[in-house]
Amino acid sequence: MVGGRSLTGRLLYNRADNPRQPGSSIKPIGVYGPAIQSGVDLNSGWTAGSTIEDSPNYVNGRLWPKNSYSGFKGWITLRTCVEVSANVPSVRLLEDIGINYGIDYLKKNGVTTVVEASDDSSTNDENLAAIALGGMSKGISPIEM
């Protein structure tokens, strides 16, 4: 996990503890885990076997987000959403449980690099693209993942 052109000094780069955007690997701990926990906390009823619709989603008249696969799968379980890394259901589910609930879940599980709107930063992670799709401002280190 350590690389670079030297074993000491400024050319040393430890990939294990340097944050990077997590991409879809954030979905289980930023969306699906919190949704299932919300079944306990908020009595929302989400379980791994619950279904959610994977169909076109429009934001400001534009199709967003797109899935990594072509087309849409219709009604699928949360379990299948994780398996196929579905983007549209991830966004819809995070909208349902609330971005702040997802962020709180990440923080309770040891993620220290979530940038909140209250932080002194021009960008933050309190949006669907950051938490549901993994486009976080600072990212997460592999150790925290």
Side-chain angles (χ1 to χ4, degrees):
M1 297 296 288
V2 177
R5 292 185 280 189
S6 176
L7 296 178
T8 61
R10 66 176 183 83
L11 298 178
L12 178 68
Y13 184 75
N14 187 340
R15 287 162 179 80
D17 62 10
N18 282 287
R20 66 197 68 210
Q21 287 190 337
S24 291
S25 64
I26 194 71
K27 292 174 186 173
I29 59 173
V31 180
Y32 298 109
I36 292 168
Q37 183 62 39
S38 75
V40 175
D41 294 346
L42 308 175
N43 200 23
S44 70
W46 289 109
T47 68
S50 297
T51 57
I52 190 165
E53 191 172 11
D54 180 18
S55 64
N57 186 60
Y58 292 91
V59 176
N60 297 326
R62 294 181 54 205
L63 183 64
W64 185 86
K66 294 180 181 176
N67 290 314
S68 60
Y69 48 86
S70 63
F72 303 93
K73 299 188 178 295
W75 288 92
I76 56 176
T77 64
L78 300 191
R79 186 178 293 112
T80 302
C81 289
V82 172
E83 181 182 329
V84 300
S85 191
N87 288 336
V88 174
S90 179
V91 166
R92 286 189 172 147
L93 189 55
L94 188 59
E95 283 179 315
D96 182 72
I97 64 170
I99 292 171
N100 289 332
Y101 191 84
I103 288 173
D104 288 345
Y105 192 87
L106 286 168
K107 289 169 43 180
K108 285 177 185 174
N109 283 284
V111 176
T112 61
T113 53
V114 175
V115 179
E116 296 185 76
S118 60
D119 295 344
D120 293 330
S121 177
S122 60
T123 61
N124 64 65
D125 293 332
E126 291 182 11
N127 61 74
L128 296 170
I131 305 302
L133 304 177
M136 297 175 71
S137 302
K138 290 184 180 176
I140 300 177
S141 73
I143 291 205
E144 285 191 357
M145 285 299 288

